């Protein structure tokens, strides 16, 4: 077989491409004309950028073009990994709920009532306070979930992890109530003019726990 001359390369390539496409139509081979970016960390950067857009502008403003600009990647990279805006938003919230979650390890350890109150207070209005970034995103996830079942399931799973952590030191029913209380505080704190104080939160958490779980002996407090 004679070698292909340089002037014949475009024609030869066209013939090969046509044949491969014909086989693809017949189901003989799988063909993708999209080039896979050689950047393993790019999908996570895209999702992080999407979270930033959602926190600043709302989940309804997340689209391929805005996220591409924020992530500093070509538009085609975003559409390659996330073909639709819906897919992008769902995976963004999955990333939030499974990767960028507030650490719950401390809450899930057995502790006294006083220690538990201190930990919850710290999360709401103390040193370990949930950032406004996560406050906004948790709100966006719940609101978006009202009309998107996939995101609703993610929000429910996220709350389940909070409830499971708290249930180590209280009943499951009390844990559910406490998570709702924490969520409400964090949501309101994002818009209230007067921020919550640790003293107010601590007293209210203690009162709720006494009402739900009863008093504990002094040596268990």
């Amino acid at each position: 077989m004679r070698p292909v001359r340089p002037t014949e390369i475009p024609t030869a390539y066209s013939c090969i491409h046509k044949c491969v496409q014909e086989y693809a139509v017949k189901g003989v081979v799988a063909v993708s004309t999209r080039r896979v970016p050689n950047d393993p960390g790019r999908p996570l950067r895209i999702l992080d950028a999407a979270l930033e857009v959602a926190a600043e502008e709302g989940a309804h403003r997340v689209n391929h073009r805005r996220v591409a600009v924020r992530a500093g990647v070509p538009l085609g990279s975003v559409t390659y990994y996330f073909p639709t805006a819906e897919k992008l938003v769902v995976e963004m919230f999955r990333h939030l709920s499974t990767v960028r979650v507030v650490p719950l390890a401390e809450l899930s350890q057995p502790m006294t009532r006083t220690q538990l109150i201190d930990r919850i207070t710290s999360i709401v209005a103390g040193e370990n306070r949930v950032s406004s970034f996560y406050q906004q995103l948790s709100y966006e996830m719940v609101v978006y979930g009202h009309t998107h079942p996939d995101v609703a399931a993610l929000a429910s799973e996220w709350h389940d992890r909070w409830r499971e952590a708290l249930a180590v030191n209280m009943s499951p029913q009390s844990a559910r109530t406490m998570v709702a209380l924490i969520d409400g505080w964090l949501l309101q704190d994002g818009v209230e003019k007067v921020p919550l104080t640790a003293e107010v939160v601590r007293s209210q958490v203690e009162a709720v726990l006494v009402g739900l779980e009863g008093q504990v002996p002094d040596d268990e407090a």
Side-chain angles (χ1 to χ4, degrees):
M1 179 182 294
R2 70 177 177 80
V4 178
R5 298 189 182 93
T7 56
E8 295 176 317
I9 289 177
T11 302
Y13 176 81
S14 299
C15 292
I16 294 171
H17 181 71
K18 181 178 179 181
C19 291
V20 171
Q21 291 297 324
E22 288 176 354
Y23 278 117
V25 171
K26 295 176 183 179
V28 177
V29 295
V31 175
S32 174
T33 58
R34 308 188 74 178
R35 186 165 169 262
V36 180
N38 186 23
D39 185 356
R42 184 169 293 183
L44 292 183
R45 291 208 308 276
I46 291 172
L47 292 175
D48 283 340
L51 287 174
E52 292 174 5
V53 173
E56 294 176 9
E57 304 182 42
H60 66 287
R61 298 281 288 174
V62 173
N63 60 39
H64 291 134
R65 193 169 298 279
R66 282 192 181 87
V67 171
V69 171
R70 180 61 64 94
V73 301
L75 178 60
S77 290
V78 182
T79 58
Y80 174 81
Y81 291 110
F82 311 100
T84 66
E86 174 72 12
K87 178 70 171 176
L88 175 59
V89 173
V90 170
E91 294 307 316
M92 171 192 77
F93 282 126
R94 192 187 312 281
H95 179 50
L96 172 69
S97 65
T98 59
V99 180
R100 301 188 63 170
V101 296
V102 178
L104 299 177
E106 292 186 359
L107 277 180
S108 62
Q109 302 298 317
M111 62 188 79
T112 66
R113 174 70 63 82
T114 299
Q115 290 172 331
L116 178 60
I117 292 172
D118 287 343
R119 295 280 170 82
I120 295 174
T121 300
S122 181
I123 290 173
V124 177
E127 294 180 358
N128 296 318
R129 182 175 184 167
V130 176
S131 69
S132 59
F133 179 79
Y134 285 109
Q135 289 181 33
Q136 181 63 35
L137 288 173
S138 62
Y139 168 77
E140 291 292 331
M141 182 162 62
V142 171
V143 171
Y144 199 85
H146 276 286
T147 53
H148 297 78
D150 289 344
V151 175
L154 292 172
S156 180
E157 291 169 6
W158 194 6
H159 289 143
D160 283 345
R161 285 193 286 274
W162 276 87
R163 289 189 281 261
E164 289 169 4
L166 288 170
V168 172
N169 294 287
M170 64 183 75
S171 71
Q173 294 78 10
S174 297
R176 186 181 184 93
T177 300
M178 188 57 64
V179 169
L181 180 61
I182 294 171
D183 266 357
W185 268 329
L186 294 177
L187 176 61
Q188 291 184 11
D189 195 42
V191 296
E192 293 292 339
K193 295 180 180 178
V194 180
L196 285 167
T197 64
E199 291 74 18
V200 169
V201 173
R202 181 178 288 105
S203 65
Q204 293 301 306
V205 170
E206 182 176 9
V208 170
L209 283 175
V210 169
L212 293 172
E213 300 281 298
Q215 293 280 2
V216 296
D218 290 341
D219 61 347
E220 296 180 9

